[in-house]
Each structure stands twice: as structure tokens, then as C-alpha cells.
Amino acid sequence: MSSTESSAFPGVRRTALDALHRSLGATMTDFAGWDMPLRYGSERDEHIAVRTRAGLFDLSHMGEITVTGPQAAQLLNHALVGNIASVGVGRARYTMICRADGGILDDLIVYRLAEAEYMVVANASNAQVVLDALVERAAGFDAEVRDDRDNYALIAVQGPESPAILKSVTDADLDGLKYYAGLPGTVAGVPALIARTGYTGEDGFELFVAPEHAVELWRALTRAGESAGLVPCGLSCRDTLRLEAGMPLYGHELNTSLTPFDAGLGRVVKFDKEGDFVGREALAEAASRAEANPPRVLVGLIAEGRRVPRAGYPVVAGGEVIGEVTSGAPSPTLGRPIAMAYVDAAHAAPGTAGVGVDIRGSHEPYEVVALPFYKRQK
């Protein structure tokens, strides 16, 4: 099993790396029902380590769901908005699962492990919802949906030094591994699915392993990365890293009241794939609506001052509310507070003058910029 229940917090799950995190002095927090490391020391130092060297993350709270069988591809094409049947073996795709009314239930990464085997990775907070929806939508398909959350631990190595660190402990062909691809291999003697994916804006890898091998792998990677400056990283810097990279977080930029078109991610919806899919009709209407009357646009905001905007704060211009902050934090890379916000299309162009954020009654000036705030040099 990949998790145990915490006696101190009944119902809270612990990953296979829990005791190791505590031995490293991690500050722990309840996240989506899991006891997870928030930070080990300075979240700013952890953030900068990932941007300049490398960081090590425990992501074992993510939800792995395996879909197998002769009609696995058809089931996923029906259940999700993307064209999963066109994903090659060994490749991965970012996609979404929506309700019949088009509202986003979750954003996902789907890996095609074999001809008739896929792994769907859901956000921790939505894993059960996604599992239930896939099981329900599997009716009539010759395919099996399996809850594999307890069969995986997930460790990520992210940052510019991550390829060199991982190369030192595996003979897998990392040079040939493209972004959004995965291959089975051995890392420090541990069998793993090695995926070139991540949520930081940096190059990096996510390693799916059996829970009983998690501690051994973490320690081996720590030793391998010591000279390169690799550090353990918590959820706090993961959030500031993804925010700088303009990556959406479910519950902030994405939720059931938004369609992918409202979120500016209509490109993930593939109307030209074979067969019907859940939400098709509502999403077609949302696409037409967005074309005729553009919805609020997700933009970046950079503070002119020092006050940090938070989710839910109103975005204002000319005394009127023109939008709402979805995520905000100090940016270690830019040295100023930043935010993502949905704003009226009329105020969404980079450089739009007179835009501010209402922070407890004070209208703080902000610069509107295109996302992402940060893009790594290739």
C-alpha cells in the first residue's frame, strides 16, 4: 500500500516517504486528505534550487487510474475531451474530463503504456471523482478501469540539472525521451516508469515506482544530486513554480463552473475525433459562445508594489470590478508579487493601463502581462 492513515489525524493519508520527510525536518500540511511536506526549510531557497539546479518532490498523493482492454482507447475518447486514441505507445497527453454540461471535473495527464493499456493521472483532490466518472462511463465498453493509487509512489526530479542527475543512476535512454513521453526503466536498481513531465516550468522527470521502493529511490537520488545542489522541495515552492510557469491549478484556474473554452484551454477539446464524448454538445455551444462573445481571459498580473494578491481578490479598473484573482504569490524569480486572474477581454491585452487589485479596500496597481511569467531557456 502506498499510504497509511495517520493516528494523529484520523482519515489523513501518509505517503511511503512520510517518515523520511519528518526526519528531514519537513513542515507537514493536510493537502487533499494527504499529510504532505509543505517545505523543508526556506520555500524561496527550494524554488530557486529548482530554477537553477534541481529539486526532489514527493507527489505520491496524485491519483493513478489504469484503463485496460480491447476498447480502452474508445472508452477514454468517450470519457475525456481529448483524442486519446491518437496517442502513441510511450507518449503522454494533457487533457480534461468534463461533466455533461461542459464544466471541468479535472485536468489530467494520460500515458499510453501499451497498445491496450493507459494510465490516467488525476489531481489528488479529484482522484475519487475522476475514478467514479471513468467507472460510470465505462459501461458498454470492453475495458476495465482500475484504481491503482495504492500501487504507486511518485517522485519528481525537476530543474536544469535533473537530466544529468538521473543519467548517473539509470541506463535508460533519457536523451531520446521527449517531453510528454514515458518509458519503463530501472533507476538506481528500482523498476520505474520514467516520464518527462512536470509542473514547474523546468525540464524534469516524474518516476512512478512501487511504494516499497520509494525510500530507497529518494535516498539514491539525493546522493546522486548532492554535488549538483539538489534539494528536497515541498508543495509551497511547487505552487510558486507552476504559477510563474502559468500552469493552471484545479480549484483555482479550473473548476466545474468553467468549460475549457472559458479557461482559454479550448485547444484540448477535439471535436474531430471518432465517436461521441461526454459534454460534446455543451462544449460545442461553449466554443460558439466564446467566439461570439469572448469570455474573461486568464492573464498575468505583476505588482508595482509589495502587497501580495490572493485568490478571490477583485481585479479593478476605473472603479469597476473587471475580474478576479485565481492564484497569487511572491515570485522569487521576478522579485515581485504576481498573480493569475480572469479579466474582461477589454482589459486583457498586455500593458493595459489602469488595472489594479483590490487588496482589503486598497486598489494596488498591477501590470497586465501575457502568461507565462517565466519561460526556461531551451
Side-chain angles (χ1 to χ4, degrees):
M1 301 289 277
S2 67
S3 64
T4 56
E5 267 198 14
S6 162
S7 54
F9 305 99
V12 174
R13 304 175 79 188
R14 291 182 169 182
T15 78
L17 292 161
D18 182 80
L20 193 149
H21 297 317
R22 293 169 195 278
S23 74
L24 293 172
T27 299
M28 306 297 286
T29 189
D30 178 357
F31 182 82
W34 290 83
D35 212 8
M36 298 296 294
L38 188 63
R39 70 182 73 82
Y40 297 84
S42 155
E43 55 204 50
R44 184 179 179 277
D45 289 349
E46 291 171 24
H47 180 112
I48 290 168
V50 175
R51 285 277 177 261
T52 58
R53 303 186 304 278
L56 194 58
F57 295 83
D58 178 10
L59 306 179
S60 303
H61 60 315
M62 300 295 281
E64 297 87 4
I65 301 161
T66 303
V67 181
T68 57
Q71 291 189 306
Q74 291 95 317
L75 161 59
L76 290 171
N77 263 13
H78 167 70
L80 312 180
V81 300
N83 188 350
I84 308 305
S86 68
V87 177
V89 174
R91 299 308 301 266
R93 184 158 295 166
Y94 176 79
T95 188
M96 293 182 182
I97 182 168
C98 290
R99 302 192 306 194
D101 66 1
I104 303 166
L105 282 173
D106 201 14
D107 62 336
L108 313 163
I109 295 180
V110 179
Y111 297 87
R112 189 169 197 167
L113 304 181
E115 192 59 36
E117 182 181 4
Y118 296 81
M119 181 167 66
V120 177
V121 181
N123 286 296
S125 55
N126 296 326
Q128 191 63 48
V129 169
V130 173
L131 176 68
D132 292 346
L134 287 175
V135 168
E136 184 184 324
R137 294 174 190 188
F141 289 92
D142 187 3
E144 181 196 350
V145 176
R146 187 173 72 236
D147 181 358
D148 264 347
R149 285 176 289 178
D150 286 341
N151 295 323
Y152 288 106
L154 178 55
I155 296 172
V157 193
Q158 297 280 301
E161 295 293 333
S162 58
I165 292 167
L166 200 56
K167 273 182 193 175
S168 72
V169 289
T170 184
D171 57 5
D173 178 19
L174 299 186
D175 290 335
L177 188 63
K178 295 184 170 71
Y179 187 50
Y180 266 70
L183 82 169
T186 303
V187 182
V190 169
L193 171 66
I194 305 166
R196 200 164 206 154
T197 44
Y199 193 51
T200 62
E202 298 298 337
D203 193 7
F205 303 87
E206 295 182 322
L207 309 170
F208 296 84
V209 300
E212 58 268 25
H213 294 145
V215 170
E216 176 190 350
L217 180 58
W218 181 282
R219 287 182 171 148
L221 290 165
T222 299
R223 288 191 298 272
E226 192 174 5
S227 62
L230 173 133
V231 301
C233 294
L235 292 179
S236 188
C237 85
R238 182 170 155 87
D239 190 48
T240 52
L241 288 160
R242 70 92 195 166
L243 176 55
E244 286 184 352
M247 293 176 168
L249 175 63
Y250 196 89
H252 289 255
E253 288 72 41
L254 308 174
N255 56 57
T256 52
S257 68
L258 297 172
T259 72
F261 295 95
D262 297 319
L265 291 165
R267 64 181 181 276
V268 305
V269 181
K270 303 301 181 189
F271 292 113
D272 58 351
K273 63 180 174 175
E274 277 186 35
D276 195 14
F277 63 92
V278 177
R280 175 191 274 274
E281 197 176 317
L283 289 167
E285 287 174 13
S288 300
R289 202 164 53 240
E291 209 169 306
N293 182 23
R296 282 183 165 176
V297 179
L298 189 64
V299 300
L301 299 174
I302 301 180
E304 292 181 20
R306 309 303 304 173
R307 297 187 73 184
V308 179
R310 298 297 182 192
Y313 285 10
V315 181
V316 294
E320 300 289 319
V321 174
I322 56 142
E324 186 176 296
V325 170
T326 54
S327 297
S331 164
T333 304
L334 276 63
R336 287 194 282 168
I338 60 172
M340 286 200 280
Y342 282 111
V343 302
D344 293 345
H347 297 273
T352 300
V355 172
V357 176
D358 185 338
I359 301 181
R360 298 188 184 89
S362 172
H363 290 189
E364 302 288 330
Y366 273 74
E367 180 189 356
V368 179
V369 298
L371 292 169
F373 299 97
Y374 166 86
K375 202 166 191 177
R376 71 181 174 95
Q377 300 300 309
K378 298 290 184 188

